[in-house]
Amino acid sequence: MPNYELIQQDGLETSLLEVSMGPHHPSTHGVFRMDVKLDGETVVDLKPVFGYLHRNHEKLAEAMSYLASMPFTDRLDYFNSMTNNWAYALAAEQLIEIEIPERAEYLRVIMSELTRLVNHVSLVGFFVNDLGALGTPLLYAFREREKILDLFEQASGARMMCNYFRFGGLRCDVPEGWLDRTREVVDRFPKFLDEYEKLLCENEIILSRTQGVGNLSKELAINAGITGPMLRASGVNYDIRKVDNYGIYDRFKFRVPYSKGKVGDCYDRFMVRMLEMRESIEILKQALDGIEAGPIMGNAGKVFKPAKAEAYGRVEAPKGELGFYLVADGTTQPYRYRVRPPSFINLTVLQDMCIGQQVADAVIILGSIDIVLGEVDR
Amino acid sequence: MNWELIGDILLATVPLLVIFPSMFALTTWVERKALARIQNRIGPNKVGVPLTPYGGNLSLFGLGQPAADGIKMLFKENIVPTGADRLFHLLAPILSLIPAMLVLCFLPLEFPWLNGEQNSVKAFMLDGAVIFFFAITGLNTLAVFMAGWASRNKYSLLGGMRAIAQMVSYEIPLVLSAVVVVMIVGSLNAAEIAEAQAGWNWYVFQPWGLAAFVIFFIAALAETNRSPFDLPEAESEIIAGYFTEYSGFKFALFFLGEYIAMFAISGLAVTLFLGAGGGPGVEALPWLKVIWFLAKVCILIGVMIWLRGTLPRLRVDQLMGFAWKFLLPLSILNIFIAGFAWHAKKANEGTAVSVIVWVAALIILYAAAKGLDHVNRAKVKPRTYQYGE
Amino acid sequence: MSLLGGGIFKGMAVTLRNFVGSYFDKERLTTKEYAWRTDDKLPERAGDYPKEEAEQLSDTTTVTHYSRNFPMLLHDEGEPMDTVRCVACQICERECPPQCIYIEKSKDKMERGGNKAQFYPATFDIDVSVCMSCQICVEVCPFDAIVMNSQFELSTPDRFGGLLLRRDDLLKSNDYYHKIHPEEAAARDKRIADEKAAKEAKKKAAEEAKKKAAEAKAKAEAEAKAKEEAESAEKPAEAPAPTHTDAKKEDNGE
Ligand code: SF4
Ligand code: SF4
């Protein structure tokens, strides 16, 4: 960084260039703003500004019956409505005694792993798009995502806002033949991943653009409460599917990829997601083999009215730990409803990662965090 | 009044002014179609000939799209930001188009329908054609920075500054790789360069020619702001770079200028390395020369589109590093190799030695490139990951 | 030692394969081309959009048999308003998360399909610019009166009135329901029939029991009443009905 005082001594006036990137910017992934101070092309300071998409989600939920909040959780991270549903259902299911049927548990795993595929595959697409690739990888990703969204539509009636999980099970069973179609999609997915890896993982430009960019140390990641692939990219072996074994995850054999180094950069975050998709496919195959016919709804009554209690339910959403904290006061509405959004908490380290990098890097660092503004602002 | 001269001038320039802009229109359609197919989309498929006598819409694979786009551009509102420098804001797109159009006439395109002493008319027979080409395309930088500055927009300014750095740097490998051919032919005249390559003697088949062609093509991508060097207009970073604040007709002019510059520089690459208008059947039918020339230009444009559909873009410092630490040393080395190889080949015409020289030169160039790449990107390599159970 | 620029060439091979593949491989080109027919004419104004065709579109592949969009009110065979299933119990109005249903109960009761006379909705409006297609109303309705439509061509030049679907817009026959969601409708009809059969069997049993012991009948009645009461007690607190001017102004920000 040049010494500004020296420049000014020469009688020249100089100052940093302040650029407000967003809220209308092609690569801020929604209405997000970065107030960037630039020295030439180098980022000297960066301030994330958000809240443009605040929808009062938590407060609204406190004036609604428990079930009525379920469709609103779809809108948090609109890429992953299934895992959002699950996290909320997990929290609510702790408030009352409820048995979840076997088939529902299997379908929950299948849905959430399909969601992970959808999320990671499009995140990688968006990320490479931020690198400047004119959308080719993104459109390949969307092509595959389309097939999974079709499955979601067949199961739940909607492609993105699925609203499929219920306290104690699922809203409805999957239609006939759905499992076969899912198996077809799952079996074909590795072929696509091979192609995707060939297109991206060895590309010299991507390698040199992403390696050593946006370093996040293990310590900082843990201290800042980072979760999900971003934490694993910094070399921490932590996955709530393994830690909590919620649902029936203890029945499946799968591995959790994480970085070898102590510092994670954009390349690690990108690769960890690529590898995670392969593991999701493994889980899906096992789940599709294990699923049997049966009921899909537990013994829950029509009206959900828990006694006074508190509960925190969390899942490993594709973006990190998604948790719902509920305080019940004995009525049909929650007394307090709180979301722990992974995107928002992962976003807190943006400034630390961006300072000293180039403008172009700031954009891809933001891309590698994987945020969805619906979840950040709630 | 010298009517004959005026007629000559018209006959020589009008084809240029017709062929290239119509090629531009077609290229925008081809580019959209090809990119769409690369991305597994369909691309423009609706606009064709509207209101045919049958009452419907004849869609013709969306071939009407360029016309529709052009009309749309013409009728769009011309927006100049408050505080912008109105004069330069207006001048910049014009200034970016003029040099691009101007250099077209240095290309050795021969239109055989006119005769005089020669059987054809070239727009501009100039001994220093290659030099002039570079001199005039260099003006483009000025236009780009003018646009960046006059818009009074921070993104535009960033784009403009990037453009200056990039275009100035890449001019050097561009010229140095062209120098090889000039040196071998011993002339700066485009027509003479074309003639020297007659009969499959294309320089791209020589090791030094191949290296020079690759360097030239890469530098040309950077000169014309094509992907992966489209930093001055990097959409994901600085919106649209220097033409962020341009709309309507001015934007169309920029667009036109950019594509014409692409044609011009591809035309020069064809002239220097790909045998200009040479190809099968040109001895018998001289007018095939024009066809071959344009076909080769189209192939180069096709590769540019293909690259655009595949690659992400470089970062600013990597871009500069690539020019100064990779292309520049390589092109200087290439000049020496070309000299040696040429003389060695001359001295041993037709013997096995010339083949050995050919292979050795290629190996040296490849090894040098590989070494430079290794030095420049020492730390960058794929990684492996561990798994937790 | 890898080839210089090998990664880039590999990537280019992939894009080339996709370029060629998109002409031959259905797996690659998933987009469907919406063909113009020669007699197609674009509507002059948005309001002129061919509505009947839009309703038939659910037979085409653009809408699957599973998709849901906005709710509709079911009626059985016959005049829509004579056979409407909704009894204006207003449960859905209360449970709708964004509060976009507005119901007014009729003053008089109406007999339908040989059942006991019940109320019917005098007004039943759904503001589809607010509705978020969540299907909660369908789930809570005890009378199978409201189900999801899959009609998606709702564009209208009038963004207030046009997007407020009135009772008569919402009324759709059960046949239509069978057409757009065959599996779901069949399952629902089967369930209704089963329930009805069970009820009849119960009624029969009850009648037989009545002959035997009058107390048993009284008890059964009391039980039914208790159940009804419990149900109404469990209903969540009354939420304010959406006033239409408000609902209309709200923008669905998604
Ligand atoms: S679908 Fe949901 S939002 Fe729409 S009317 Fe029914 S309950 Fe309300
Ligand atoms: S819950 Fe069903 S019966 Fe009751 S008002 Fe709504 S649609 Fe009508």
Side-chain angles (χ1 to χ4, degrees), chain C residues 18 48 51 54 57 67 69 71 94 96 100-101 107 113 123 136 144-145 149 171 180 189 224 243 247 252:
Chain C
N18 275 291
D48 297 345
K51 269 270 157 53
L57 275 174
S67 75
N69 206 359
R94 236 169 283 143
C96 170
C100 65
I101 308 182
K107 298 266 158 35
T123 314
I136 295 275
D144 295 293
N149 199 346
L171 277 171
I180 60 169
D189 276 5
T243 55
N252 199 352

mmCIF file of all heavy atoms in Angstrom, chain C residues 18 48 51 54 57 67 69 71 94 96 100-101 107 113 123 136 144-145 149 171 180 189 224 243 247 252:
data_model
loop_
_atom_site.group_PDB
_atom_site.id
_atom_site.type_symbol
_atom_site.label_atom_id
_atom_site.label_comp_id
_atom_site.label_asym_id
_atom_site.label_seq_id
_atom_site.Cartn_x
_atom_site.Cartn_y
_atom_site.Cartn_z
ATOM 1 N N ASN C 18 -21.157 -30.355 -25.231
ATOM 2 C CA ASN C 18 -22.491 -29.859 -24.916
ATOM 3 C C ASN C 18 -23.110 -29.141 -26.097
ATOM 4 O O ASN C 18 -24.310 -29.210 -26.319
ATOM 5 C CB ASN C 18 -22.436 -28.918 -23.717
ATOM 6 C CG ASN C 18 -22.502 -29.675 -22.432
ATOM 7 O OD1 ASN C 18 -23.528 -30.237 -22.106
ATOM 8 N ND2 ASN C 18 -21.413 -29.734 -21.722
ATOM 9 N N ASP C 48 -57.226 -9.779 -23.086
ATOM 10 C CA ASP C 48 -57.813 -10.614 -24.122
ATOM 11 C C ASP C 48 -57.193 -11.990 -24.185
ATOM 12 O O ASP C 48 -57.428 -12.729 -25.122
ATOM 13 C CB ASP C 48 -57.624 -9.948 -25.491
ATOM 14 C CG ASP C 48 -58.342 -8.632 -25.546
ATOM 15 O OD1 ASP C 48 -59.170 -8.411 -24.663
ATOM 16 O OD2 ASP C 48 -58.049 -7.837 -26.451
ATOM 17 N N LYS C 51 -58.567 -17.257 -22.312
ATOM 18 C CA LYS C 51 -58.733 -17.874 -20.995
ATOM 19 C C LYS C 51 -59.038 -19.361 -21.087
ATOM 20 O O LYS C 51 -58.493 -20.157 -20.358
ATOM 21 C CB LYS C 51 -59.874 -17.179 -20.230
ATOM 22 C CG LYS C 51 -59.407 -16.022 -19.382
ATOM 23 C CD LYS C 51 -59.042 -16.481 -17.971
ATOM 24 C CE LYS C 51 -58.079 -15.564 -17.259
ATOM 25 N NZ LYS C 51 -58.433 -14.173 -17.199
ATOM 26 N N ALA C 54 -56.071 -21.290 -21.643
ATOM 27 C CA ALA C 54 -55.215 -21.308 -20.473
ATOM 28 C C ALA C 54 -55.671 -22.374 -19.504
ATOM 29 O O ALA C 54 -54.865 -23.026 -18.863
ATOM 30 C CB ALA C 54 -55.240 -19.948 -19.806
ATOM 31 N N LEU C 57 -54.543 -25.730 -20.537
ATOM 32 C CA LEU C 57 -53.115 -25.954 -20.590
ATOM 33 C C LEU C 57 -52.653 -27.007 -19.609
ATOM 34 O O LEU C 57 -51.597 -27.586 -19.758
ATOM 35 C CB LEU C 57 -52.370 -24.653 -20.302
ATOM 36 C CG LEU C 57 -52.173 -23.782 -21.520
ATOM 37 C CD1 LEU C 57 -51.558 -22.480 -21.110
ATOM 38 C CD2 LEU C 57 -51.266 -24.484 -22.512
ATOM 39 N N SER C 67 -48.456 -30.015 -9.916
ATOM 40 C CA SER C 67 -48.173 -28.644 -9.516
ATOM 41 C C SER C 67 -49.388 -28.016 -8.854
ATOM 42 O O SER C 67 -50.529 -28.346 -9.136
ATOM 43 C CB SER C 67 -47.773 -27.821 -10.724
ATOM 44 O OG SER C 67 -48.900 -27.534 -11.478
ATOM 45 N N ASN C 69 -51.017 -24.156 -7.610
ATOM 46 C CA ASN C 69 -50.792 -22.735 -7.778
ATOM 47 C C ASN C 69 -51.639 -21.941 -6.811
ATOM 48 O O ASN C 69 -51.167 -21.524 -5.765
ATOM 49 C CB ASN C 69 -51.060 -22.340 -9.223
ATOM 50 C CG ASN C 69 -50.283 -21.128 -9.601
ATOM 51 O OD1 ASN C 69 -49.575 -20.600 -8.766
ATOM 52 N ND2 ASN C 69 -50.416 -20.668 -10.814
ATOM 53 N N PRO C 71 -55.640 -21.584 -4.788
ATOM 54 C CA PRO C 71 -56.769 -22.438 -4.410
ATOM 55 C C PRO C 71 -57.984 -22.221 -5.304
ATOM 56 O O PRO C 71 -58.116 -21.197 -5.980
ATOM 57 C CB PRO C 71 -57.096 -21.996 -2.982
ATOM 58 C CG PRO C 71 -55.952 -21.179 -2.536
ATOM 59 C CD PRO C 71 -55.360 -20.590 -3.752
ATOM 60 N N ARG C 94 -59.013 -18.342 8.901
ATOM 61 C CA ARG C 94 -58.244 -18.108 10.106
ATOM 62 C C ARG C 94 -56.831 -18.657 9.977
ATOM 63 O O ARG C 94 -55.883 -18.090 10.491
ATOM 64 C CB ARG C 94 -58.947 -18.782 11.279
ATOM 65 C CG ARG C 94 -59.245 -17.835 12.399
ATOM 66 C CD ARG C 94 -60.165 -18.484 13.388
ATOM 67 N NE ARG C 94 -61.538 -18.514 12.893
ATOM 68 C CZ ARG C 94 -62.368 -19.522 13.104
ATOM 69 N NH1 ARG C 94 -61.974 -20.589 13.778
ATOM 70 N NH2 ARG C 94 -63.601 -19.469 12.653
ATOM 71 N N CYS C 96 -54.985 -19.308 7.188
ATOM 72 C CA CYS C 96 -54.164 -18.867 6.056
ATOM 73 C C CYS C 96 -53.017 -17.989 6.555
ATOM 74 O O CYS C 96 -53.269 -16.950 7.147
ATOM 75 C CB CYS C 96 -55.025 -18.096 5.063
ATOM 76 S SG CYS C 96 -54.062 -17.273 3.804
ATOM 77 N N CYS C 100 -55.053 -14.094 3.313
ATOM 78 C CA CYS C 100 -55.513 -13.543 2.043
ATOM 79 C C CYS C 100 -56.899 -14.047 1.662
ATOM 80 O O CYS C 100 -57.354 -13.799 0.558
ATOM 81 C CB CYS C 100 -54.507 -13.844 0.933
ATOM 82 S SG CYS C 100 -54.351 -15.574 0.598
ATOM 83 N N ILE C 101 -57.557 -14.773 2.552
ATOM 84 C CA ILE C 101 -58.918 -15.237 2.257
ATOM 85 C C ILE C 101 -59.902 -14.339 2.995
ATOM 86 O O ILE C 101 -59.660 -13.934 4.139
ATOM 87 C CB ILE C 101 -59.116 -16.700 2.703
ATOM 88 C CG1 ILE C 101 -58.009 -17.578 2.121
ATOM 89 C CG2 ILE C 101 -60.467 -17.209 2.278
ATOM 90 C CD1 ILE C 101 -58.148 -19.039 2.460
ATOM 91 N N LYS C 107 -76.693 -15.630 5.052
ATOM 92 C CA LYS C 107 -77.697 -15.461 6.115
ATOM 93 C C LYS C 107 -78.528 -16.733 6.248
ATOM 94 O O LYS C 107 -78.890 -17.159 7.330
ATOM 95 C CB LYS C 107 -78.605 -14.273 5.783
ATOM 96 C CG LYS C 107 -77.856 -12.954 5.705
ATOM 97 C CD LYS C 107 -77.896 -12.242 7.032
ATOM 98 C CE LYS C 107 -76.789 -11.224 7.212
ATOM 99 N NZ LYS C 107 -76.324 -10.468 6.081
ATOM 100 N N GLY C 113 -76.969 -32.047 -1.710
ATOM 101 C CA GLY C 113 -76.727 -33.486 -1.829
ATOM 102 C C GLY C 113 -77.374 -34.313 -0.730
ATOM 103 O O GLY C 113 -76.791 -35.280 -0.256
ATOM 104 N N THR C 123 -69.723 -14.495 0.282
ATOM 105 C CA THR C 123 -68.533 -13.932 -0.364
ATOM 106 C C THR C 123 -67.376 -14.869 -0.068
ATOM 107 O O THR C 123 -67.275 -15.377 1.050
ATOM 108 C CB THR C 123 -68.173 -12.561 0.221
ATOM 109 O OG1 THR C 123 -69.359 -11.804 0.314
ATOM 110 C CG2 THR C 123 -67.156 -11.844 -0.622
ATOM 111 N N ILE C 136 -52.051 -24.560 2.928
ATOM 112 C CA ILE C 136 -52.497 -24.757 4.309
ATOM 113 C C ILE C 136 -54.024 -24.773 4.346
ATOM 114 O O ILE C 136 -54.630 -25.588 5.050
ATOM 115 C CB ILE C 136 -51.948 -23.627 5.212
ATOM 116 C CG1 ILE C 136 -50.433 -23.685 5.291
ATOM 117 C CG2 ILE C 136 -52.585 -23.689 6.579
ATOM 118 C CD1 ILE C 136 -49.866 -24.600 6.303
ATOM 119 N N ASP C 144 -63.332 -30.827 2.543
ATOM 120 C CA ASP C 144 -62.756 -31.047 1.209
ATOM 121 C C ASP C 144 -63.324 -30.070 0.194
ATOM 122 O O ASP C 144 -63.598 -30.427 -0.945
ATOM 123 C CB ASP C 144 -62.999 -32.474 0.729
ATOM 124 C CG ASP C 144 -62.270 -33.473 1.592
ATOM 125 O OD1 ASP C 144 -61.047 -33.466 1.548
ATOM 126 O OD2 ASP C 144 -62.942 -34.206 2.348
ATOM 127 N N ALA C 145 -63.508 -28.864 0.619
ATOM 128 C CA ALA C 145 -64.176 -27.903 -0.247
ATOM 129 C C ALA C 145 -63.197 -27.057 -1.032
ATOM 130 O O ALA C 145 -63.547 -26.453 -2.039
ATOM 131 C CB ALA C 145 -65.054 -26.982 0.595
ATOM 132 N N ASN C 149 -55.612 -25.274 -7.473
ATOM 133 C CA ASN C 149 -55.710 -25.229 -8.924
ATOM 134 C C ASN C 149 -54.295 -25.238 -9.486
ATOM 135 O O ASN C 149 -53.341 -24.982 -8.751
ATOM 136 C CB ASN C 149 -56.440 -23.954 -9.324
ATOM 137 C CG ASN C 149 -56.991 -24.018 -10.711
ATOM 138 O OD1 ASN C 149 -56.637 -24.892 -11.480
ATOM 139 N ND2 ASN C 149 -57.867 -23.098 -11.041
ATOM 140 N N LEU C 171 -64.941 -21.063 -8.190
ATOM 141 C CA LEU C 171 -65.731 -22.288 -8.241
ATOM 142 C C LEU C 171 -65.308 -23.147 -9.427
ATOM 143 O O LEU C 171 -65.313 -22.698 -10.569
ATOM 144 C CB LEU C 171 -67.214 -21.946 -8.366
ATOM 145 C CG LEU C 171 -67.896 -21.625 -7.035
ATOM 146 C CD1 LEU C 171 -69.269 -21.083 -7.281
ATOM 147 C CD2 LEU C 171 -67.948 -22.850 -6.159
ATOM 148 N N ILE C 180 -57.084 -32.007 -13.643
ATOM 149 C CA ILE C 180 -55.759 -31.425 -13.402
ATOM 150 C C ILE C 180 -54.930 -32.220 -12.401
ATOM 151 O O ILE C 180 -53.723 -32.251 -12.502
ATOM 152 C CB ILE C 180 -55.847 -29.942 -12.978
ATOM 153 C CG1 ILE C 180 -56.658 -29.779 -11.702
ATOM 154 C CG2 ILE C 180 -56.385 -29.089 -14.095
ATOM 155 C CD1 ILE C 180 -56.530 -28.394 -11.125
ATOM 156 N N ASP C 189 -61.371 -38.503 -3.411
ATOM 157 C CA ASP C 189 -62.726 -39.034 -3.561
ATOM 158 C C ASP C 189 -62.876 -40.347 -2.817
ATOM 159 O O ASP C 189 -63.905 -40.616 -2.204
ATOM 160 C CB ASP C 189 -63.042 -39.235 -5.054
ATOM 161 C CG ASP C 189 -63.518 -37.931 -5.670
ATOM 162 O OD1 ASP C 189 -63.495 -36.921 -4.941
ATOM 163 O OD2 ASP C 189 -63.898 -37.924 -6.855
ATOM 164 N N ALA C 224 -70.380 -36.869 20.218
ATOM 165 C CA ALA C 224 -70.234 -36.088 18.985
ATOM 166 C C ALA C 224 -70.174 -34.604 19.304
ATOM 167 O O ALA C 224 -69.370 -33.843 18.753
ATOM 168 C CB ALA C 224 -71.396 -36.392 18.047
ATOM 169 N N THR C 243 -58.926 -6.804 5.558
ATOM 170 C CA THR C 243 -59.774 -5.845 4.872
ATOM 171 C C THR C 243 -59.254 -5.748 3.462
ATOM 172 O O THR C 243 -58.052 -5.796 3.229
ATOM 173 C CB THR C 243 -59.672 -4.482 5.548
ATOM 174 O OG1 THR C 243 -58.290 -4.137 5.571
ATOM 175 C CG2 THR C 243 -60.201 -4.512 6.957
ATOM 176 N N ALA C 247 -55.402 -5.660 1.751
ATOM 177 C CA ALA C 247 -54.856 -6.828 1.085
ATOM 178 C C ALA C 247 -54.474 -6.500 -0.350
ATOM 179 O O ALA C 247 -53.482 -6.973 -0.875
ATOM 180 C CB ALA C 247 -55.884 -7.940 1.113
ATOM 181 N N ASN C 252 -46.625 -8.546 -2.862
ATOM 182 C CA ASN C 252 -45.944 -9.779 -2.503
ATOM 183 C C ASN C 252 -44.486 -9.646 -2.903
ATOM 184 O O ASN C 252 -44.110 -9.756 -4.047
ATOM 185 C CB ASN C 252 -46.590 -10.954 -3.238
ATOM 186 C CG ASN C 252 -46.237 -12.245 -2.566
ATOM 187 O OD1 ASN C 252 -45.394 -12.254 -1.662
ATOM 188 N ND2 ASN C 252 -46.859 -13.312 -2.974
#
